[in-house]
Amino acid sequence: METKVLHIKENLRKPEYFVYIILAVMFTVAVIASPGYLQRAHMSGLLKTASFLGIAAIGQTFAILLGDIDLSVANTITLGNVLGAQILMGSDANLGKAFVIILLAGILIGAGNGFGIRYLKLDPFIMTLGMSSVIEGVFMIYTQGAPKGKTSPFMSSLCRSAGTGVVTGVFLIWIVLVVIAIFVMKKTTFGRNVFAVGANKTAARFSGINTTKIYFIVYIISAVLAIFAGFLLVGYTGTSYLDVGVDYNDNSIAAVIIGGTAVTGGRGGYLGTLAGVMLMVMLVDFLTIVNISEAGRQMIQGGIIIILLLLYNRDKASH
């Protein structure tokens, strides 16, 4: 019995589990401070907002597990948004065409990032930042600075309607992707290889892992999920906006780090990111409710990230 208790305590000290304690505290404070916090419409809105960030954060988690980063997420989301709206043009008949084009664009972006990092030997920070600028140029040319189009009835229903409950179609999509992501990371050879490459790239290569293949797959996953999140946002917003993805770089990275994935790679996973996503969404929502300015929200978010990083590093050093 004592051994089990010690084991539980040890697990709770791990960042990917400790963040759930913080999430529970944050949720309790929000409920107490805002009597209407648990209202159906409000909870549905929170889950919808979390779904888009959560989908994008899956790819970011993979990238950071490699010890790298993907700074093209934000503009990839915007590209998915403007492409999706302009192809759909309000008609469900265009769904298949839109989905295929979105998928191909995501694969192209991810492969481009992988090629630049592995074959051109560019730093992931520089490569993905450069790719972000290329993507921005593409959607600016495509839209001529004035995005057109609108969502279709199916997309609108998928991403907005919760019926009589709080669960929307986009939230269910996120949950399915969560299960797949955690399974891939924890139970597959590819997932184990991602951790191995993130822990020690040289050792992974000498052990026979095709590190180039791992990089290509990870960045394709990140780009496909980001552009898919942007496509889904068409259903939520009803149309497209050139700044729709602007906050997703910072927020996806923050969610992954808050969730306990080490920025140096090789440690963490999406289980922690899941809580990090909810914590980020709830924090922004709560600070908005209590009328904290945008500057104040940014300062508080940054402060929380720094504090958690200090706690995580302290715990790691103690071991």
Side-chain angles (χ1 to χ4, degrees):
M1 182 67 181
E2 185 177 347
T3 303
K4 288 183 178 180
V5 171
L6 289 173
H7 181 67
I8 293 172
K9 287 182 177 180
E10 186 66 24
N11 279 334
L12 289 177
R13 293 179 62 186
K14 294 179 179 178
E16 58 266 41
Y17 298 112
F18 179 68
V19 68
Y20 280 91
I21 297 176
I22 301 173
L23 179 61
V25 171
M26 179 70 209
F27 183 75
T28 303
V29 171
V31 170
I32 293 172
S34 177
Y37 200 82
L38 291 176
Q39 288 182 358
R40 183 182 301 161
H42 183 255
M43 293 306 298
S44 180
L46 277 180
L47 293 179
K48 278 186 283 190
T49 304
S51 298
F52 303 113
L53 176 59
I55 291 170
I58 293 174
Q60 194 70 262
T61 302
F62 273 108
I64 293 178
L65 279 172
L66 285 179
D68 297 328
I69 201 167
D70 188 352
L71 295 178
S72 63
V73 164
N75 278 338
T76 301
I77 286 174
T78 300
L79 179 64
N81 188 251
V82 298
L83 273 178
Q86 206 144 319
I87 296 170
L88 285 175
M89 292 301 288
S91 174
D92 285 337
N94 296 325
L95 271 171
K97 178 183 176 182
F99 182 78
V100 170
I101 292 175
I102 291 294
L103 177 62
L104 292 176
I107 292 172
L108 183 62
I109 291 168
N113 278 329
F115 180 83
I117 293 167
R118 296 306 294 169
Y119 288 107
L120 302 182
K121 306 300 181 183
L122 296 174
D123 183 87
F125 183 96
I126 300 300
M127 180 61 220
T128 58
L129 187 62
M131 180 61 77
S132 180
S133 295
V134 171
I135 296 167
E136 183 176 11
V138 169
F139 67 65
M140 288 299 292
I141 292 172
Y142 180 71
T143 63
Q144 295 295 304
K148 304 175 182 65
K150 62 179 181 178
T151 187
S152 70
F154 174 79
M155 290 292 292
S156 182
S157 175
L158 182 72
C159 301
R160 291 183 188 175
S161 176
T164 57
V166 298
V167 177
T168 58
V170 69
F171 176 73
L172 293 177
I173 290 173
W174 178 35
I175 293 304
V176 170
L177 291 173
V178 166
V179 173
I180 293 172
I182 294 174
F183 176 80
V184 169
M185 288 178 185
K186 299 295 184 181
K187 300 296 183 179
T188 68
T189 300
F190 169 73
R192 289 189 288 270
N193 287 345
V194 169
F195 279 92
V197 173
N200 191 317
K201 293 175 176 60
T202 303
R205 188 172 65 252
F206 282 125
S207 68
I209 296 174
N210 187 337
T211 54
T212 296
K213 180 180 177 181
I214 296 297
Y215 268 84
F216 268 84
I217 294 175
V218 163
Y219 279 97
I220 287 173
I221 288 172
S222 183
V224 166
L225 289 175
I227 205 166
F228 182 55
F231 180 48
L232 290 172
L233 275 165
V234 177
Y236 182 59
T237 61
T239 185
S240 58
Y241 301 94
L242 292 179
D243 62 350
V244 70
V246 68
D247 293 327
Y248 280 86
N249 271 349
D250 292 345
N251 288 345
S252 65
I253 293 168
V256 175
I257 294 173
I258 288 174
T261 296
V263 293
T264 52
R267 181 168 58 90
Y270 195 76
L271 185 63
T273 300
L274 175 61
V277 167
M278 291 306 303
L279 187 60
M280 285 294 297
V281 171
M282 286 176 55
L283 180 62
V284 171
D285 180 69
F286 177 70
L287 293 177
T288 302
I289 289 174
V290 296
N291 293 319
I292 301 296
S293 67
E294 175 64 23
R297 291 200 297 269
Q298 293 294 333
M299 291 172 63
I300 292 172
Q301 289 175 37
I304 288 175
I305 294 172
I306 291 171
I307 291 170
L308 288 175
L309 279 174
L310 289 172
L311 287 173
Y312 295 164
N313 289 335
R314 179 182 178 184
D315 180 69
K316 183 179 177 182
S318 68
H319 285 75

